[in-house]
Coordinates of all heavy atoms in Angstrom, one line a residue:
S8 N -9.1 -11.8 0.1 CA -8.1 -11.0 -0.4 C -6.9 -10.9 0.6 O -7.0 -11.3 1.7 CB -8.6 -9.6 -0.7 OG -9.5 -9.7 -1.8
E9 N -5.8 -10.2 0.1 CA -4.6 -10.1 0.9 C -4.2 -8.7 1.1 O -4.3 -7.9 0.2 CB -3.4 -11.0 0.4 CG -3.7 -12.4 0.3 CD -2.5 -13.2 -0.4 OE1 -1.5 -13.3 0.3 OE2 -2.6 -13.6 -1.5
V10 N -3.4 -8.3 2.2 CA -2.9 -7.1 2.4 C -1.5 -7.2 3.1 O -1.3 -8.1 4.0 CB -3.8 -6.2 3.4 CG1 -3.1 -4.9 3.7 CG2 -5.2 -6.0 2.9
K11 N -0.6 -6.5 2.6 CA 0.7 -6.4 3.2 C 1.1 -5.0 3.7 O 0.9 -4.1 2.9 CB 1.8 -7.0 2.3 CG 3.2 -7.2 2.9 CD 3.2 -8.2 3.9 CE 4.6 -8.5 4.5 NZ 4.6 -9.5 5.6
L12 N 1.5 -4.8 4.9 CA 1.8 -3.5 5.5 C 3.3 -3.3 5.5 O 4.0 -4.2 5.9 CB 1.2 -3.4 6.9 CG -0.3 -3.8 7.0 CD1 -0.7 -3.6 8.5 CD2 -1.1 -2.9 6.1
F13 N 3.7 -2.1 5.2 CA 5.1 -1.7 5.3 C 5.3 -0.3 6.0 O 4.5 0.6 5.9 CB 5.7 -1.5 3.8 CG 5.6 -2.8 3.1 CD1 4.6 -3.0 2.2 CD2 6.6 -3.7 3.2 CE1 4.5 -4.1 1.3 CE2 6.5 -4.9 2.4 CZ 5.4 -5.1 1.5
L14 N 6.4 -0.2 6.8 CA 6.8 1.0 7.4 C 8.1 1.5 6.8 O 9.0 0.7 6.5 CB 6.9 0.8 9.0 CG 5.7 0.6 9.7 CD1 6.0 0.0 11.1 CD2 5.0 1.9 9.9
A15 N 8.2 2.8 6.7 CA 9.5 3.4 6.3 C 10.2 4.0 7.5 O 9.6 4.7 8.3 CB 9.2 4.5 5.3
Y16 N 11.4 3.7 7.6 CA 12.3 4.2 8.7 C 13.4 5.0 8.2 O 14.0 4.7 7.1 CB 12.9 3.0 9.5 CG 12.0 2.3 10.4 CD1 11.2 1.4 10.1 CD2 12.0 2.7 11.8 CE1 10.3 0.6 11.0 CE2 11.2 2.0 12.7 CZ 10.4 1.0 12.3 OH 9.5 0.4 13.2
E17 N 13.8 6.0 8.9 CA 15.1 6.8 8.8 C 15.8 6.7 10.1 O 15.4 7.3 11.1 CB 14.8 8.2 8.3 CG 16.2 8.9 8.0 CD 16.0 10.2 7.3 OE1 14.9 10.7 7.4 OE2 17.0 10.7 6.8
G18 N 16.8 5.8 10.1 CA 17.4 5.5 11.4 C 16.3 4.7 12.3 O 15.8 3.7 11.9
E19 N 16.1 5.3 13.5 CA 15.0 4.6 14.3 C 13.7 5.3 14.2 O 12.8 4.9 15.0 CB 15.5 4.6 15.8 CG 16.8 3.8 16.0 CD 16.6 2.4 15.4 OE1 15.7 1.7 15.9 OE2 17.5 1.8 14.7
E20 N 13.6 6.3 13.4 CA 12.3 7.1 13.3 C 11.5 6.6 12.1 O 11.9 6.4 11.0 CB 12.7 8.6 13.1 CG 11.5 9.5 13.1 CD 11.9 11.0 12.8 OE1 13.1 11.3 12.6 OE2 11.0 11.8 12.7
I21 N 10.1 6.5 12.4 CA 9.2 6.2 11.4 C 8.9 7.4 10.5 O 8.6 8.5 11.1 CB 7.9 5.7 12.0 CG1 8.1 4.5 13.0 CG2 6.9 5.3 10.9 CD1 8.5 3.3 12.4
V22 N 9.0 7.2 9.3 CA 8.8 8.4 8.4 C 7.7 8.2 7.3 O 7.4 9.0 6.6 CB 10.1 8.9 7.7 CG1 11.1 9.4 8.7 CG2 10.7 7.6 6.9
G23 N 7.1 6.9 7.3 CA 6.0 6.7 6.4 C 5.5 5.3 6.5 O 6.0 4.5 7.3
R24 N 4.3 5.1 5.9 CA 3.7 3.8 5.9 C 2.9 3.6 4.6 O 2.5 4.5 4.0 CB 2.7 3.7 7.2 CG 1.5 4.6 7.1 CD 0.5 4.3 8.3 NE -0.8 5.0 8.0 CZ -1.9 4.8 8.6 NH1 -1.8 4.0 9.7 NH2 -3.0 5.4 8.3
I25 N 2.6 2.3 4.4 CA 1.7 2.0 3.2 C 1.2 0.6 3.3 O 1.9 -0.3 4.0 CB 2.5 2.2 1.9 CG1 1.6 2.3 0.6 CG2 3.6 1.0 1.7 CD1 2.3 2.7 -0.6
A26 N 0.0 0.3 2.7 CA -0.5 -1.0 2.7 C -0.6 -1.4 1.2 O -1.1 -0.6 0.4 CB -1.9 -1.0 3.3
A27 N -0.1 -2.5 0.9 CA -0.3 -3.1 -0.5 C -1.5 -4.0 -0.4 O -1.6 -4.9 0.4 CB 0.9 -3.9 -0.9
I28 N -2.5 -3.8 -1.3 CA -3.7 -4.5 -1.2 C -4.0 -5.3 -2.5 O -4.1 -4.7 -3.6 CB -4.8 -3.5 -0.9 CG1 -4.6 -2.7 0.4 CG2 -6.2 -4.2 -0.8 CD1 -5.3 -1.4 0.5
F29 N -4.1 -6.6 -2.4 CA -4.6 -7.4 -3.6 C -5.9 -7.9 -3.4 O -6.2 -8.8 -2.6 CB -3.5 -8.6 -3.8 CG -3.8 -9.3 -5.1 CD1 -3.3 -8.6 -6.3 CD2 -4.3 -10.4 -5.2 CE1 -3.5 -9.2 -7.5 CE2 -4.5 -11.1 -6.4 CZ -4.1 -10.5 -7.5
N30 N -6.9 -7.2 -4.1 CA -8.3 -7.4 -3.9 C -8.8 -8.5 -5.0 O -9.1 -8.1 -6.1 CB -9.1 -6.1 -4.1 CG -10.6 -6.2 -3.7 OD1 -11.1 -7.3 -3.8 ND2 -11.2 -5.2 -3.2
T31 N -8.8 -9.7 -4.6 CA -9.2 -10.8 -5.5 C -10.5 -10.6 -6.0 O -10.8 -10.9 -7.2 CB -9.0 -12.2 -4.8 OG1 -7.8 -12.2 -4.3 CG2 -9.3 -13.3 -5.8
N32 N -11.6 -10.2 -5.2 CA -12.9 -10.0 -5.7 C -13.0 -8.9 -6.7 O -13.7 -9.0 -7.6 CB -13.8 -9.7 -4.4 CG -14.3 -11.0 -3.7 OD1 -13.7 -12.0 -4.1 ND2 -15.2 -10.9 -2.9
H33 N -12.3 -7.8 -6.5 CA -12.3 -6.7 -7.5 C -11.7 -7.3 -8.8 O -12.4 -6.9 -9.9 CB -11.3 -5.6 -7.0 CG -11.0 -4.6 -8.1 ND1 -11.7 -3.5 -8.3 CD2 -9.9 -4.6 -9.0 CE1 -11.2 -2.8 -9.3 NE2 -10.1 -3.5 -9.8
N34 N -10.7 -7.9 -8.8 CA -10.1 -8.5 -10.1 C -11.0 -9.4 -10.8 O -11.1 -9.5 -12.0 CB -8.7 -9.0 -9.9 CG -7.7 -8.0 -9.6 OD1 -7.8 -6.8 -10.0 ND2 -6.7 -8.2 -8.9
A35 N -11.7 -10.3 -10.0 CA -12.6 -11.2 -10.6 C -13.9 -10.5 -11.1 O -14.3 -10.9 -12.3 CB -13.1 -12.2 -9.5
F36 N -14.4 -9.5 -10.5 CA -15.5 -8.7 -10.9 C -15.2 -7.9 -12.1 O -16.1 -7.8 -13.1 CB -16.1 -7.9 -9.7 CG -17.3 -7.2 -10.0 CD1 -18.5 -7.9 -10.1 CD2 -17.3 -5.8 -10.2 CE1 -19.7 -7.1 -10.4 CE2 -18.5 -5.1 -10.5 CZ -19.7 -5.8 -10.6
T37 N -14.1 -7.3 -12.1 CA -13.7 -6.4 -13.2 C -12.9 -7.0 -14.4 O -12.8 -6.4 -15.4 CB -12.9 -5.2 -12.7 OG1 -11.8 -5.7 -12.1 CG2 -13.7 -4.4 -11.7
E38 N -12.5 -8.3 -14.2 CA -11.7 -8.9 -15.1 C -10.4 -8.3 -15.4 O -10.0 -8.1 -16.5 CB -12.5 -9.3 -16.4 CG -13.7 -10.1 -16.2 CD -14.4 -10.5 -17.4 OE1 -14.3 -9.7 -18.4 OE2 -15.3 -11.5 -17.4
R39 N -9.8 -7.7 -14.3 CA -8.5 -7.0 -14.4 C -7.5 -7.6 -13.5 O -7.9 -8.6 -12.7 CB -8.8 -5.5 -14.1 CG -9.6 -4.7 -15.1 CD -9.9 -3.3 -14.6 NE -8.7 -2.6 -14.3 CZ -8.0 -1.9 -15.3 NH1 -8.5 -1.9 -16.5 NH2 -7.0 -1.2 -15.0
N40 N -6.3 -7.0 -13.5 CA -5.2 -7.4 -12.6 C -4.7 -6.2 -11.9 O -3.5 -5.8 -12.1 CB -4.1 -8.1 -13.4 CG -4.6 -9.5 -14.0 OD1 -5.0 -10.3 -13.3 ND2 -4.4 -9.6 -15.3
D41 N -5.6 -5.7 -11.1 CA -5.2 -4.4 -10.4 C -4.6 -4.6 -9.0 O -5.0 -5.7 -8.4 CB -6.4 -3.5 -10.2 CG -6.9 -2.9 -11.5 OD1 -6.1 -2.6 -12.4 OD2 -8.1 -2.7 -11.7
G42 N -3.7 -3.9 -8.6 CA -3.3 -3.7 -7.2 C -3.6 -2.5 -6.6 O -3.8 -1.5 -7.3
F43 N -3.7 -2.3 -5.3 CA -4.2 -1.1 -4.7 C -3.1 -0.8 -3.6 O -2.4 -1.6 -3.1 CB -5.5 -1.2 -4.0 CG -6.5 -1.5 -5.1 CD1 -6.8 -2.8 -5.5 CD2 -7.3 -0.5 -5.6 CE1 -7.8 -3.1 -6.4 CE2 -8.4 -0.7 -6.6 CZ -8.6 -2.0 -7.0
F44 N -3.0 0.5 -3.3 CA -2.3 0.9 -2.1 C -3.2 1.8 -1.3 O -4.2 2.4 -1.7 CB -1.1 1.8 -2.4 CG -1.3 3.1 -3.0 CD1 -1.2 4.2 -2.1 CD2 -1.5 3.4 -4.3 CE1 -1.4 5.5 -2.6 CE2 -1.8 4.6 -4.8 CZ -1.7 5.7 -3.9
G45 N -3.0 1.7 0.1 CA -3.8 2.5 1.0 C -3.0 2.7 2.3 O -1.9 2.4 2.5
F46 N -3.9 3.3 3.3 CA -3.2 3.5 4.6 C -1.9 4.2 4.4 O -0.9 3.9 5.0 CB -3.1 2.3 5.4 CG -4.5 1.7 5.7 CD1 -4.9 0.6 4.8 CD2 -5.2 2.1 6.7 CE1 -6.1 0.1 5.1 CE2 -6.4 1.5 7.0 CZ -6.9 0.5 6.3
F47 N -1.8 5.3 3.5 CA -0.7 5.8 3.0 C -0.4 7.2 3.7 O -1.3 8.1 3.6 CB -0.8 6.1 1.5 CG 0.3 6.9 0.9 CD1 1.6 6.4 0.8 CD2 0.1 8.2 0.4 CE1 2.7 7.1 0.2 CE2 1.2 8.9 -0.1 CZ 2.4 8.4 -0.2
D48 N 0.6 7.3 4.5 CA 1.0 8.5 5.1 C 2.5 8.6 5.1 O 3.3 7.6 5.2 CB 0.5 8.5 6.6 CG -1.0 8.6 6.7 OD1 -1.4 9.8 6.4 OD2 -1.6 7.7 6.9
T49 N 3.0 9.8 5.0 CA 4.5 10.0 4.8 C 4.9 11.5 5.2 O 4.0 12.4 5.2 CB 4.9 9.8 3.4 OG1 6.2 10.1 3.2 CG2 4.1 10.7 2.4
I50 N 6.1 11.6 5.6 CA 6.6 12.9 5.7 C 6.8 13.6 4.3 O 6.6 12.8 3.3 CB 8.1 12.9 6.5 CG1 9.1 12.1 5.7 CG2 7.9 12.4 7.9 CD1 10.5 12.2 6.1
N51 N 7.1 14.8 4.2 CA 7.3 15.5 2.9 C 8.6 15.2 2.4 O 9.6 16.0 2.5 CB 7.0 17.0 3.1 CG 6.9 17.7 1.8 OD1 7.1 17.1 0.7 ND2 6.7 19.0 1.8
D52 N 8.8 14.0 1.8 CA 10.1 13.5 1.4 C 9.9 12.5 0.2 O 9.2 11.5 0.3 CB 10.8 12.8 2.4 CG 12.2 12.3 2.0 OD1 13.1 13.1 1.7 OD2 12.3 11.1 1.9
Q53 N 10.4 13.0 -1.0 CA 10.2 12.1 -2.2 C 10.8 10.7 -2.1 O 10.2 9.8 -2.6 CB 10.7 12.8 -3.4 CG 10.2 12.3 -4.7 CD 8.8 12.4 -5.0 OE1 8.2 13.5 -4.8 NE2 8.1 11.3 -5.3
E54 N 12.0 10.6 -1.6 CA 12.7 9.4 -1.5 C 11.9 8.3 -0.6 O 11.7 7.2 -1.0 CB 14.0 9.5 -0.8 CG 14.8 8.2 -0.7 CD 16.1 8.4 0.1 OE1 16.3 9.4 0.7 OE2 16.9 7.4 0.1

């Protein structure tokens, strides 16, 4: 499977993070096309 990590910046300050996770084994086992997110942390900001 594959994972892509992203950081959110405001100026030079880190304000959030997330991992996009494509679990090939999950999709093969469940016969679905799901994506996942994880390692999710953020300041209290909707944007």
